[in-house]
Amino acid sequence: MINLVILGGGYGGMRILQRLLPTQLPEDVEITLIDRVPYHCLKTEYYALAAGTISDQHIRVAFPEHPRLTIKYGEVTDIDLDRKLVHLQGKDSISYDDLIIGLGCEDKYHNVPGAKEHTYSIQSIDNSRSTYQKLNNLPPDSDVAIIGAGLSGVELASELNDSRPDLKISLFDRGNHILSMFPERLSNYVENWFTTRDVKIINGSNITKVESNLLYNHDTPIKFDTIVWTAGIQPNKIVQQLDVEKDVQGRVVLTVQHNIPGNEHVYVVGDCASLPHAPSAQLAEGQAEQIVQVLLKRWNNEEPPTQFPPIKLKGVLGSLGKKHGFGLVAERPIIGRVPRLLKSGVLWMYKYHNG
């Protein structure tokens, strides 16, 4: 039997399972999925969990069931590419014939002293739970700093404003406008939305140090009751340790078939893969579709595709609380209630109709 091992049941790993199971998995192939938790987590909704506007169960999706799918729970500590072994903390190592690495990302602190130790995170479900406990146990009129005004920071700030309008929220960003990856019209709309709700935006910030309840912007200390970090991501530490070629962001350089050059048995999907677009759930799923095509060809002793059409991203949708939103769909900016409704619909389709 060929053992396909998938590290991580995120958007990429889940899409591979959905495409292979139940009917496309060859009779001589079995799958071992390794994850920390016994369900797929909707990472795009961690901001709402942290803000307290949805419960834990709303962001869980059950893994598929199949006689030749084995799910093991644990923490990956090392990948031995030479011996084809995955090492788990406190458990037996697992051997593989083909390996898909989809371990996701972690916060990038940009060498800011104290940032890792003194800020909260929404990069994992465990971190989001801890952030929820901290934010929602704050007394009224507490000061909250959110560092980073990309999509995650903006959605967290807006959702927290909905959940706890008594809190005084400050959103720090290095650029002249928040959401710098979007057209200025969208940035202005979101900034105005925050202004009307007394959420303070600090543009042109430069966080130089973080201490307990103390944030240094351009070396000037500012006191906060809680500080949340959403200012960048990097590949999982296990991927950082791999002795393979990486790009300037530390993501693994891959062949057209999404495997490590010189090793057609090891694939990387999602946030850890070096791809033309910024990491996203859509991108991971599109890449997963192509990886399944490659695996099926190779398992059948056929040549895999030598090229693929570019992965098409349908757009980006962001929420501003439960009633407003923003986004780019077919490269057209949209604002107001429509993008919020669209995002809710996309989430419902994903949860109940296999993506």
Side-chain angles (χ1 to χ4, degrees), residues 209-229:
K209 185 168 63 172
V210 184
E211 296 177 352
S212 180
N213 300 116
L214 208 58
L215 179 66
Y216 289 79
N217 183 27
H218 294 283
D219 295 325
T220 300
I222 312 171
K223 188 178 184 305
F224 287 98
D225 297 290
T226 301
I227 304 168
V228 185
W229 190 274

Side-chain angles (χ1 to χ4, degrees), residues 3 63 104 126 159 268 296:
N3 188 23
F63 290 131
D126 286 343
E159 201 80 5
V268 182
L296 291 174

Side-chain angles (χ1 to χ4, degrees), residues 186-205:
L186 286 186
S187 298
N188 290 335
Y189 170 77
V190 176
E191 287 184 351
N192 290 334
W193 190 93
F194 280 129
T195 300
T196 60
R197 288 159 177 79
D198 296 322
V199 174
K200 189 176 182 181
I201 298 173
I202 298 93
N203 289 316
S205 64

